[in-house]
Amino acid sequence: MRVHQLTFAAALAVAASLSLTACQNDDTALGQGDPSATSTASTASTGSSTGGGSGSGGPDQGGEKDTAGTTSGGKGTTATAGTGSSGSGKAGKCRTDDLLITAMERTIDGDEEATVAVEFENHSDRGCVISGFAGVDLKTDAGPLSATRTNEKPGSSILESGKSIAFGITYPFNTSGGSGVRVTGLVVTPPGETKSVTLDWPGAATLPVTEGSGSSVKVGPMGSAGQGG
């Protein structure tokens, strides 16, 4: 009976030892898997709470002091503030597509030269900047004729929506007695633009034939023919 009890006790001791070893192995396995998962969760939590990371404007993106509830990162905020008239607070230049362009005869009796006025009306929904000289070319039966600028000093204006501004084109009367150069059209390019518009020429039908260099047709700066609207 004593032998059986000792054998049973030894068996219990061996079983307990095996159970303890198994538990230690399980703990080791868990210990090898958990640290990386915990670290990842901690990194993600840190990234979202401090505003870090490339997508949330962290220190590497210029958003280090993003503590006032700003939802966009440094790069995005800077780009948004620096583009467009709303971001800079300044009006952009007047584009050809923003303008309704008309030409009209404006010669006054007694003037030594004839005058055509070209008017730009801003038909967009925002103000725009217009300054300097427009490009002016006359279409003639002898080929295109480019107007030259006068010596008047150009200014700069904000052309509000619905308002207009005009400039003058001066040219000599054809008093030569000959047929002269027949004008068939007027091409106008707003200042700083490359897109032109072609209009009917409202002035005299012909220009005198001139000799030598230089153009007898002159163009004044924006506002030189008065401002309406």
Side-chain angles (χ1 to χ4, degrees), residues 11-89:
L12 287 176
V14 171
S17 175
L18 292 174
S19 175
L20 178 60
T21 301
C23 290
Q24 289 175 345
N25 289 337
D26 290 342
D27 290 341
T28 301
L30 290 173
Q32 290 174 347
D34 284 351
S36 61
T38 302
S39 177
T40 301
S42 175
T43 301
S45 175
T46 302
S48 61
S49 63
T50 61
S54 60
S56 58
D60 59 334
Q61 298 293 326
E64 184 175 1
K65 296 183 179 180
D66 191 11
T67 57
T70 305
T71 56
S72 58
K75 279 188 175 179
T77 302
T78 302
T80 301
T83 56
S85 58
S86 60
S88 64

Side-chain angles (χ1 to χ4, degrees), residues 6 52 125 138 165 216:
L6 289 175
D125 59 358
L138 300 187
I165 190 170
S216 60

Side-chain angles (χ1 to χ4, degrees), residues 110-153:
D111 285 351
E112 295 181 357
E113 293 183 307
T115 301
V116 164
V118 177
E119 184 179 80
F120 291 168
E121 180 182 342
N122 182 3
H123 68 112
S124 72
D125 59 358
R126 61 178 179 82
C128 59
V129 177
I130 193 159
S131 62
F133 291 82
V136 171
D137 295 279
L138 300 187
K139 291 183 174 182
T140 76
D141 59 357
L145 175 65
S146 296
T148 59
R149 297 176 179 180
T150 65
N151 293 325
E152 295 176 79
K153 185 178 180 180

Side-chain angles (χ1 to χ4, degrees), residues 104-109 111 113-116 171 173:
M104 60 211 78
E105 170 65 36
R106 281 292 183 265
T107 303
I108 299 175
D109 289 342
D111 285 351
E113 293 183 307
T115 301
V116 164
Y171 60 98
F173 294 106

